[in-house]
Amino acid sequence: MEFAELIKTPRADNVVLHRPFHSAVEGTLCLTGHHLIFSSRRQDNAEELWLLHSNIDSIEKRFVGSLGTIVIKCKDLRIIQLDIPGMEECLNIASSIEVLSTLDSVTLMYPFFYRPMFEVLEDGWSSFLLEQEFDLLSSVTNEWRLSCVNKDFSVCPSYPPVVIVPKSIDDEALRKVALFRYGGRFPVLSYYHKKNGMAMMRSSQPLTGTNGRRCKEDEKLINATLRSGRRGFVIDTRPLAVAQQARAKGGGFEQEVHYPQWRRIHKYIERFNILQESFIKLVEACNDQSHNMDRWLSKLEASNWLTHIKELLTAACLAAQCIDREGASVLVHGSEGTDSTLQVTSLAQIILDPRCRTIHGFEALVVREWLQAGHPFQQRCAQSAYSNSKQKWEAPVFLLFLECVWQIHRQFPCSFEFNEQFLILLFEHAYASQFGTFLGNNENERAKLKLPQKTMSLWSWVNRPDELSRFQNPLYEANSLVIWPSVAPQSLQLWEGVFLRWNRPSKFLEEAEEERINIIRYNKELQAKVNALRRQLAEMEADEEAQEE
Amino acid sequence: MEHIRMPKVENVRLLDRLSSRRAVVGTLYLTATHVIFVENGSETRKETWVLHSQISSIEKQATTATGCPLLIRCKNFQVIQLVIPQERDCHDVYISLIRLARPVKYEELYCFSFNPKLDKEEREQGWKLVDLNEEYNRMGVPNNYWQISDVNRDYGVCDSYPTEVYVPKSATAHIIVGSSKFRSRRRFPALSYYCKGNNASICRSSQPLSGFSARCLEDEQMLQAIRKANPGSDFIYVVDTRPKLNAMANRAAGKGYENEDNYSNIKFQFIGIENIHVMRNSLQKMLEVCELKSPSMSDFLWGLENSGWLKHIKAIMDAGIFIAKAVAEEGVSVLVHCSDGWDRTAQVCSVASLLLDPYYRTVKGFMVLIEKDWVSFGHKFNHRYGNLDGDPKEISPVIDQFIECVWQLMEQFPCAFEFNERFLIHIQHHIYSCQFGNFLCNSQKERRELKIKERTYSLWAHLWKNRADYLNPLYRSDHSQTQGTLHPQIAPCNFLYKFWSGMYNRFEKGLHPRQSVTDYLMAVKEETQQLEEELEVLQERLANLQKSQSGNNKVKSKQQDRSKQFGLYTSNNSLANTPQEYSNDLKSFPSRSPSQGDEDSALILTQDNLKSSDPDLSGNSDQESGVEDLSCRSPSGGGCLPSEDSGKDSDEAVFLAG
């Protein structure tokens, strides 16, 4: 397909761009296969806006006489308005944007066309291999092994080719367990708590069905993570009633009779369309222009967004508490094990593992617990909060995770190596990106699309020292402890950096951040200077003493 | 002392609000000024001190098998739950506290017995720290347009006004007196803020006694005079901060608001701020939400909305923003009033001043601002904050709302204020504590009669002495945010107003961020300063060495000190990362049993925890309860696993139910 065919009007002049908190700018609008480009004609301060078509969530057009107006609502929640003179031009542009922003085929997406302008120092596609993770693990325990049972994705299509499982369980057993778990997602290691040797595993629901089917290998597998005489916890992210209903459809839950050493806890986390609706309502509330305080608070409340945040954090804290405080191993799953399960396991690691609070460690966590673990990014992030379509696969699952990290970050502002901007960056790139990292729904699809060969990895770009410096938290000091956030409503706040990003003045907050950076930077410079001088003096003094002697 | 029926009760339990299981046993003491709870326990014997004047209500609850519960709510938003074993003891404590918390004479208040061991001269110096004459001079008056009037020198015209007020030069004594007779409680229009740059001013008064048709020539002349004092403008705004309906209702009682037809060149404007009764109820409702044991997000947000609190805060801000804009951008003078002109008027004038003048955003300037708009102009501190036993309907969180407005602005303009949140919290605390004489009584006249300055100490001197604790690390006097007028976003802006948990859940440390960016940055800045000094010394030494090229080892000793200083803020911060109890929903999770690790002893440095320099607050033992809140079992190394808890099964039921 030629993009040119889709672009009837590639260029329009005298277009006026309106954005909140900016004065309107006149300029030229260009459409390319992947971008909407607006450049102001002002010579003094030439301004360009590049918008990926894939970032466009919805577009509205209206006309006043022959002046057309297009309102573009983006997946990163920004809203811009373009006034385009000429009805035909406006209609052409609008229809091109509509088509180009909703291309079906992944291989037509921008990452397949993007040519980086930077030198790749380290290929992000191979920065986070499970093998490396396993090497680290092997240095503290020998109870686990790498299994390649899924090397051709035949055992579990949504799992990566290699997984970490208890050493005592062989591949044959894994195949059997896979048949007993929804989508083949047999229990695998998610996190090993070095401090006490407890493990967190994740899977999908067991296929017990109505007649209480059991699988000896499954029992053996998860029991292999238990210390003798001790119990473990199964954290089921569905309410008991839903788990019970799942049996009718062939699913189910671990029954006490067959898993006597496990205590099941149901910690309900909302799913799919409920989350998507909540997301839409919240963004609506944030864009409400009314002057009424009551209306804002009631809309915020009605969106239920913060309720989901609170529930999710609570579940993650619970999992972390079981591991760190109870000294118990934990198995987490919901139904499919690709959404709420991953939210819980990854957040628990943020709480427990200091490494996940570093930039590299957090990237590794996102790769391991989201990308490799088979969170269906392409389905979930196909549309954002301005979507009109009621497709049931979209849900801000990853965004909720990022926001929970932000909430913990807010409570422990010195314990994270990265800053809020880093989380916002991941949110943006999960929804629209020039990089291939978040394309596809699992490793299997990514391999088929040959993403590592054909596209650039987000990590290749972001891990360059120049870029990284923008995402560093100046207040960071490594903190080796477990960090327990508060989940009380008073402790949770709206994530303004995402939800109010485009409708609040950010200048003063940015200045504050700059000030924080300067305070720390100046301190470090002084330290360096003082140390250097001290060394110099010591040397000179030593020389003199030597001369005197 | 005669009111203390029961000076000491043993085996009292102090409950943790969030978890009834975490009670501590100790001894309760009643003294003339404080309620003191001393924890049993060999090593620490933590203490909780509460000033009688902070007590807002005492509730005796139904006796249970374990004893008789007593709930003490404080004006600084602390809530203390005690269980006293014997019903009779509880009753005696209750009766004693009821009386102690409601003194009938000023002399009973703490400030008359509080002695910070300063000599007479130091005390006098303290009172001189904030000098309103100096402040009016700083503003630029007296000048060609404004003069000081002695018409009220013996409080002869208005007993709730200060003796010295600034009025337009063209306002003769005759006009002032005439105008005062046409205003509620004779609170005639007087200068609150003068803008040097463009001659625009903010004046304040009470409502006119206009009824449905009354006029007063002198009052009209007075407003005319205010307009003339600003030659650049041909009208003034008259801002009535009441809802229109309230103002109209007042007309029936012979009061009301200015009729634009009678006054030449005024633009009249209502900005609806609700009255003290609505505000009192609103705070009550919000505090009920704060007190919920483990509220869901919906409970909380719904309760917050239902209380209307943030709506009221926004109304006050909107009025302040309107006035600041009129003065700064339009160059138009504004006369502000409500009914009596001592509550809403004080709020709005001070918010506007704060927006207009960077000076009021400094530590010293903020003290001056409170002194100017609140203390000197007869805000009824005694009645509003219930220092002496009085009509409960007079009580209202008027200045609390102003303080919150400042906090809301600090959140929007993080670099604009020289002081930090702690400064605001401590001022709020002392408005109720009666430990210092500043906020006693209802007017300057009463304070002078009581000889406050001779008999008590000034809070401002105390705060000034400890100002290092109150500084905002992001403040730089040369930063753009500290220059000129602040322009808060007007619309859409509801989402900019946030619940202030640092104030209203102040004593529940578990709810607050675990690491304080402010404290961290202050520590860094302190270290930076030391580094600068050392750098200078080192450079000097280097120069000497290079010059002399011969031995001069005298300065060597200095080197060792540095290593200690280096640890300064890093250790500070690592303490702040101490694991804490993760509570609320999981409060009964069987995790907080034995095996206390070493890290537990570490105290989390946030907010007031640090502030042992503040006698009352340390007495109040924030830090003690802070330790208690946060002490929890911590990681005790690899192999040592915690033992099973006997209460386990019942606890697990909680998750299953949840």
Side-chain angles (χ1 to χ4, degrees):
Chain A
M1 185 179 69
E2 284 294 323
F3 290 120
E5 290 166 19
L6 301 173
I7 305 170
K8 284 183 216 127
T9 302
R11 179 193 157 118
D13 289 319
N14 304 320
V15 173
V16 179
L17 168 70
H18 301 268
R19 287 164 298 176
F21 301 108
H22 290 81
S23 41
V25 205
E26 195 182 316
T28 303
L29 181 72
C30 293
L31 289 189
T32 71
H34 293 104
H35 284 97
L36 177 157
I37 303 159
F38 177 90
S39 47
S40 75
R41 296 185 309 182
R42 293 220 316 265
Q43 247 103 58
D44 51 331
N45 186 15
E47 209 181 341
E48 284 199 347
L49 172 81
W50 287 64
L51 198 63
L52 265 180
H53 292 315
S54 58
N55 189 6
I56 296 171
D57 208 23
S58 83
I59 112 164
E60 291 158 20
K61 49 185 185 285
R62 53 173 187 262
F63 292 92
V64 180
S66 68
L67 180 74
T69 292
I70 301 179
V71 176
I72 296 176
K73 299 183 175 180
C74 302
K75 289 176 186 167
D76 61 15
L77 309 182
R78 145 176 50 174
I79 298 178
I80 61 170
Q81 182 189 322
L82 294 166
D83 295 341
I84 302 169
M87 189 181 286
E88 197 189 335
E89 285 84 352
C90 184
L91 279 172
N92 283 344
I93 287 169
S95 69
S96 299
I97 294 175
E98 256 166 73
V99 177
L100 291 167
S101 63
T102 52
L103 294 175
D104 282 335
S105 169
V106 184
T107 52
L108 292 177
M109 305 286 267
Y110 186 51
F112 286 91
F113 299 82
Y114 170 68
R115 292 292 162 262
M117 303 291 282
F118 58 86
E119 186 197 351
V120 177
L121 301 173
E122 184 195 353
D123 183 7
W125 286 112
S126 49
S127 293
F128 305 98
L129 300 177
L130 201 65
E131 286 82 350
Q132 296 163 352
E133 222 30 67
F134 184 72
D135 287 344
L136 285 174
L137 181 67
S138 306
S139 64
V140 288
T141 170
N142 58 4
E143 292 166 350
W144 301 84
R145 71 181 183 92
L146 268 184
S147 165
C148 299
V149 66
N150 197 42
K151 62 178 181 295
D152 51 5
F153 304 103
S154 60
V155 175
C156 172
S158 62
Y159 267 180
V162 282
V163 289
I164 302 175
V165 294
K167 199 169 205 169
S168 56
I169 308 298
D170 61 23
D171 283 356
E172 205 39 53
L174 292 177
R175 282 195 188 89
K176 284 186 185 150
V177 178
L179 294 173
F180 182 66
R181 292 275 172 180
Y182 185 94
R185 294 177 67 91
F186 54 88
V188 296
L189 181 73
S190 161
Y191 170 67
Y192 181 83
H193 199 44
K194 277 188 222 120
K195 205 166 76 187
N196 59 11
M198 291 302 130
M200 178 163 61
M201 302 207 297
R202 54 176 159 75
S203 68
S204 59
Q205 63 178 337
L207 303 174
T208 56
T210 41
N211 50 10
R213 203 159 71 92
R214 65 189 288 195
C215 169
K216 282 271 165 54
E217 289 78 6
D218 188 75
E219 293 158 22
K220 198 177 153 212
L221 195 168
I222 71 166
N223 285 340
T225 67
L226 295 178
R227 294 283 152 83
S228 63
R230 301 201 44 101
R231 285 200 298 191
F233 291 92
V234 175
I235 296 178
D236 192 326
T237 61
R238 303 164 294 178
L240 182 60
V242 172
Q244 280 167 341
Q245 284 159 16
R247 290 186 296 191
K249 293 182 196 153
F253 53 87
E254 294 80 0
Q255 281 173 312
E256 286 82 353
V257 270
H258 301 143
Y259 300 86
Q261 289 164 282
W262 292 81
R263 187 105 202 158
R264 215 176 56 247
I265 302 170
H266 290 273
K267 203 77 203 167
Y268 185 35
I269 294 171
E270 282 290 359
R271 294 157 44 88
F272 309 134
N273 55 332
I274 305 278
L275 297 180
Q276 185 69 8
E277 266 169 42
S278 170
F279 184 32
I280 291 169
K281 278 189 192 163
L282 175 67
V283 171
E284 246 172 46
C286 293
N287 287 331
D288 184 6
Q289 303 284 314
S290 88
H291 293 245
N292 187 324
M293 179 63 75
D294 290 349
R295 207 162 121 196
W296 156 245
L297 285 172
S298 73
K299 279 187 153 191
L300 177 63
E301 191 265 315
S303 78
N304 270 329
W305 183 264
L306 286 169
T307 300
H308 301 318
I309 294 289
K310 181 167 157 39
E311 295 306 316
L312 185 49
L313 273 173
T314 305
C317 288
L318 176 72
Q321 213 167 16
C322 289
I323 293 169
D324 187 67
R325 298 301 166 96
E326 289 303 292
S329 283
V330 170
L331 170 67
V332 184
H333 69 72
S335 303
E336 294 87 356
T338 53
D339 294 279
S340 56
T341 305
L342 305 181
Q343 289 175 323
V344 172
T345 57
S346 53
L347 283 171
Q349 291 177 60
I350 294 282
I351 294 166
L352 292 169
D353 186 0
R355 196 164 62 98
C356 294
R357 297 173 224 140
T358 65
I359 292 181
H360 190 265
F362 188 71
E363 290 172 357
L365 180 77
V366 168
V367 171
R368 196 171 68 237
E369 290 296 294
W370 290 86
L371 291 162
Q372 293 173 350
H375 174 67
F377 275 99
Q378 196 164 313
Q379 285 179 350
R380 298 289 178 262
C381 301
Q383 296 256 260
S384 173
Y386 301 118
S387 63
N388 309 312
S389 70
K390 287 263 187 273
Q391 285 187 24
K392 71 180 255 203
W393 298 118
E394 285 125 18
V397 177
F398 186 58
L399 174 60
L400 275 162
F401 158 71
L402 293 174
E403 173 163 345
C404 286
V405 177
W406 177 81
Q407 300 280 1
I408 304 175
H409 195 301
R410 208 186 69 79
Q411 296 185 30
F412 294 89
C414 306
S415 296
F416 289 81
E417 192 190 7
F418 50 88
N419 60 16
E420 178 183 8
Q421 293 312 313
F422 188 61
L423 297 172
I424 296 173
L425 174 94
L426 293 181
F427 159 63
E428 288 174 338
H429 283 271
Y431 279 87
S433 177
Q434 66 269 45
F435 302 106
T437 301
F438 290 103
L439 292 181
N441 291 307
N442 49 52
E443 291 295 271
N444 188 5
E445 289 186 18
R446 284 181 202 110
K448 282 185 187 148
L449 289 166
K450 297 198 165 58
L451 291 180
Q453 295 81 38
K454 294 187 168 170
T455 73
M456 180 59 60
S457 162
L458 171 64
W459 317 123
S460 304
W461 172 70
V462 85
N463 285 334
R464 293 158 43 82
D466 293 356
E467 300 301 330
L468 267 188
S469 64
R470 286 166 40 218
F471 302 114
Q472 263 149 0
N473 173 12
L475 308 176
Y476 176 62
E477 281 192 6
N479 170 2
S480 60
L481 300 170
V482 176
I483 53 175
W484 300 106
S486 160
V487 297
Q490 290 96 320
S491 308
L492 303 178
Q493 289 195 355
L494 177 71
W495 190 8
E496 297 181 15
V498 164
F499 295 104
L500 303 179
R501 182 176 173 193
W502 310 102
N503 37 15
R504 67 165 183 187
S506 54
K507 179 170 165 262
F508 307 118
L509 304 176
E510 281 162 14
E511 283 172 353
E513 180 63 14
E514 216 172 281
E515 206 57 32
R516 281 188 278 271
I517 291 171
N518 288 339
I519 289 171
I520 306 272
R521 184 191 293 145
Y522 180 52
N523 177 279
K524 292 202 169 133
E525 282 170 11
L526 274 181
Q527 272 180 20
K529 264 192 209 160
V530 165
N531 286 340
L533 262 183
R534 261 201 238 135
R535 251 195 318 276
Q536 196 183 343
L537 274 169
E539 278 166 20
M540 287 176 74
E541 280 166 350
D543 285 352
E544 272 175 36
E545 273 168 38
Q547 282 170 9
E548 278 169 29
E549 282 165 19
Chain B
M1 285 312 233
E2 70 272 22
H3 309 304
I4 302 172
R5 291 188 176 200
M6 194 75 200
K8 178 180 175 186
V9 189
E10 285 177 341
N11 294 317
V12 173
R13 287 190 306 140
L14 176 68
L15 301 188
D16 184 306
R17 201 179 69 75
L18 295 175
S19 160
S20 52
R21 290 184 174 204
R22 302 179 62 210
V24 288
V25 180
T27 306
L28 185 72
Y29 298 91
L30 298 192
T31 74
T33 52
H34 289 86
V35 184
I36 307 164
F37 178 85
V38 182
E39 235 174 78
N40 293 350
S42 46
E43 307 134 43
T44 47
R45 295 187 63 82
K46 290 168 199 159
E47 297 175 4
T48 305
W49 289 53
V50 175
L51 263 171
H52 295 324
S53 47
Q54 284 290 0
I55 295 175
S56 92
S57 77
I58 310 148
E59 204 179 298
K60 212 171 117 207
Q61 295 168 321
T63 309
T64 66
T66 54
C68 189
L70 199 63
L71 185 67
I72 303 175
R73 290 195 179 85
C74 298
K75 295 166 180 173
N76 58 4
F77 311 114
Q78 187 169 21
V79 179
I80 290 177
Q81 263 182 299
L82 299 167
V83 179
I84 297 173
Q86 297 296 322
E87 149 94 80
R88 198 172 39 93
D89 292 345
C90 182
H91 185 71
D92 283 346
V93 169
Y94 174 74
I95 296 292
S96 308
L97 282 181
I98 287 274
R99 175 59 187 81
L100 291 167
R102 287 173 200 159
V104 293
K105 295 198 307 280
Y106 283 119
E107 282 74 8
E108 290 179 46
L109 294 173
Y110 186 38
C111 57
F112 291 101
S113 59
F114 172 65
N115 183 0
K117 303 204 173 56
L118 298 176
D119 59 33
K120 181 163 171 277
E121 200 176 319
E122 284 173 300
R123 187 180 62 205
E124 282 169 4
Q125 278 310 113
W127 281 109
K128 282 181 190 148
L129 181 70
V130 170
D131 178 347
L132 286 186
N133 277 327
E134 221 171 76
E135 166 56 13
Y136 284 106
N137 293 339
R138 187 196 67 86
M139 274 185 213
V141 291
N143 61 10
N144 287 337
Y145 306 109
W146 294 91
Q147 65 183 9
I148 198 161
S149 164
D150 62 352
V151 68
N152 200 39
R153 66 180 163 275
D154 301 315
Y155 303 104
V157 175
C158 174
D159 61 2
S160 60
Y161 263 18
T163 48
E164 295 178 339
V165 286
Y166 280 84
V167 292
K169 244 189 179 157
S170 60
T172 60
H174 172 74
I175 291 177
I176 297 170
V177 172
S179 168
S180 78
K181 287 179 179 156
F182 190 64
R183 295 271 165 183
S184 279
R185 307 197 189 256
R186 302 186 137 217
R187 292 170 67 91
F188 57 88
L191 182 72
S192 164
Y193 180 73
Y194 171 75
C195 181
K196 228 186 300 187
N198 60 8
N199 294 321
S201 63
I202 303 173
C203 293
R204 58 185 291 172
S205 69
S206 59
Q207 63 186 335
L209 303 176
S210 51
F212 290 99
S213 59
R215 300 180 57 160
C216 167
L217 183 64
E218 290 85 356
D219 194 60
E220 290 162 23
Q221 287 171 333
M222 186 74 191
L223 266 62
Q224 189 80 275
I226 293 172
R227 184 183 63 75
K228 282 191 204 142
N230 179 8
S233 166
D234 50 13
F235 71 97
I236 66 167
Y237 282 111
V238 175
V239 171
D240 189 328
T241 56
R242 296 168 294 182
K244 189 171 183 186
L245 212 61
N246 301 19
M248 284 168 70
N250 263 301
R251 286 202 298 193
K255 301 164 187 173
Y257 52 92
E258 290 81 355
N259 183 339
E260 277 186 352
D261 298 339
N262 297 341
Y263 293 82
S264 52
N265 307 318
I266 67 164
K267 282 193 184 169
F268 185 85
Q269 179 91 32
F270 282 113
I271 299 184
I273 300 173
E274 297 292 347
N275 64 28
I276 56 167
H277 311 293
V278 174
M279 300 308 192
R280 179 177 58 244
N281 293 334
S282 173
L283 177 66
Q284 184 54 38
K285 282 187 187 166
M286 186 174 71
L287 291 179
E288 280 164 22
V289 177
C290 296
E291 267 190 56
L292 291 174
K293 270 206 168 156
S294 44
S296 71
M297 205 69 218
S298 291
D299 293 340
F300 178 76
L301 288 174
W302 189 86
L304 186 62
E305 180 204 338
N306 194 42
S307 76
W309 182 258
L310 288 176
K311 181 174 71 185
H312 299 315
I313 294 293
K314 181 168 178 286
I316 297 164
M317 284 294 305
D318 285 346
I321 292 168
F322 174 86
I323 294 164
K325 202 165 161 249
V327 169
E329 289 172 27
E330 298 178 54
V332 176
S333 295
V334 184
L335 171 66
V336 186
H337 70 72
C338 44
S339 297
D340 291 319
W342 52 38
D343 293 315
R344 287 170 276 202
T345 300
Q347 290 175 328
V348 166
C349 286
S350 48
V351 168
S353 295
L354 194 75
L355 291 170
L356 285 166
D357 195 331
Y359 175 66
Y360 298 125
R361 294 172 230 141
T362 64
V363 169
K364 178 80 178 293
F366 192 69
M367 297 172 180
V368 169
L369 182 64
I370 290 183
E371 202 65 36
K372 166 172 82 80
D373 281 333
W374 297 81
V375 178
S376 85
F377 272 104
H379 176 63
K380 300 198 294 173
F381 282 93
N382 176 38
H383 285 165
R384 294 294 173 261
Y385 312 117
N387 297 339
L388 294 188
D389 192 25
D391 181 359
K393 289 211 157 54
E394 282 281 327
I395 293 175
S396 188
V398 182
I399 201 167
D400 302 60
Q401 289 184 313
F402 165 64
I403 291 173
E404 175 165 341
C405 285
V406 181
W407 178 80
Q408 301 280 1
L409 281 171
M410 282 163 63
E411 287 286 292
Q412 295 178 40
F413 300 92
C415 306
F417 292 81
E418 190 190 15
F419 47 86
N420 58 27
E421 181 186 23
R422 187 183 293 135
F423 186 58
L424 298 179
I425 291 174
H426 284 193
I427 289 175
Q428 192 272 353
H429 177 94
H430 284 297
I431 281 163
Y432 291 92
S433 77
C434 300
Q435 182 176 342
F436 298 92
N438 303 61
F439 308 122
L440 242 47
C441 306
N442 291 321
S443 66
Q444 191 185 69
K445 180 167 179 265
E446 274 189 76
R447 275 188 295 275
R448 289 205 177 154
E449 285 164 1
L450 213 56
K451 298 198 176 359
I452 291 294
K453 290 192 180 177
E454 286 95 272
R455 298 166 71 191
T456 72
Y457 295 87
S458 169
L459 169 66
W460 305 133
H462 171 71
L463 294 177
W464 186 251
K465 199 178 80 202
N466 298 309
R467 64 186 174 281
D469 296 336
Y470 301 122
L471 295 180
N472 170 13
L474 301 179
Y475 179 84
R476 263 196 292 123
S477 55
D478 57 347
H479 193 280
S480 63
Q481 280 184 41
T482 62
Q483 317 298 317
T485 309
L486 291 184
H487 300 281
Q489 186 179 356
I490 298 177
C493 66
N494 295 306
F495 45 67
L496 293 177
Y497 293 91
K498 292 179 279 196
F499 171 72
W500 188 8
S501 68
M503 177 63 91
Y504 304 105
N505 285 111
R506 182 183 151 196
F507 288 87
E508 284 165 56
K509 301 293 179 223
L511 300 182
H512 304 152
R514 290 291 153 163
Q515 296 172 318
S516 159
V517 174
T518 299
D519 291 341
Y520 179 84
L521 288 176
M522 281 317 291
V524 171
K525 284 185 95 167
E526 198 180 309
E527 197 202 42
T528 299
Q529 207 184 337
Q530 291 166 355
L531 284 168
E532 278 173 341
E533 285 161 17
E534 191 187 353
L535 191 66
E536 214 171 291
V537 173
L538 288 174
Q539 278 166 340
E540 208 175 299
R541 269 177 59 197
L542 188 68
N544 286 341
L545 261 176
Q546 284 168 335
K547 218 190 291 172
S548 67
Q549 291 289 339
S550 61
N552 179 9
N553 298 339
K554 260 182 268 168
V555 234
K556 227 174 188 178
S557 58
K558 178 92 183 165
Q559 275 193 21
Q560 273 77 39
D561 318 354
R562 275 305 304 168
S563 53
K564 275 185 220 149
Q565 289 160 1
F566 257 61
L568 184 108
Y569 74 85
T570 40
S571 61
N572 222 356
N573 190 46
S574 62
L575 282 182
N577 297 338
T578 313
Q580 71 206 41
E581 174 137 351
Y582 167 64
S583 59
N584 289 298
D585 280 19
L586 304 173
K587 59 179 181 291
S588 42
F589 195 86
S591 64
R592 55 187 84 86
S593 43
S595 90
Q596 297 275 338
D598 284 332
E599 282 119 314
D600 287 357
S601 54
L603 163 62
I604 289 188
L605 297 177
T606 53
Q607 307 272 334
D608 322 53
N609 284 345
L610 299 164
K611 300 298 122 235
S612 49
S613 61
D614 210 356
D616 63 290
L617 293 168
S618 64
N620 214 338
S621 192
D622 297 9
Q623 65 267 63
E624 312 297 349
S625 53
V627 172
E628 167 54 23
D629 281 342
L630 305 164
S631 62
C632 55
R633 198 170 71 198
S634 61
S636 38
C640 175
L641 296 176
S643 57
E644 293 273 336
D645 192 303
S646 57
K648 190 154 192 175
D649 284 332
S650 59
D651 282 316
E652 274 161 23
V654 172
F655 310 138
L656 293 169

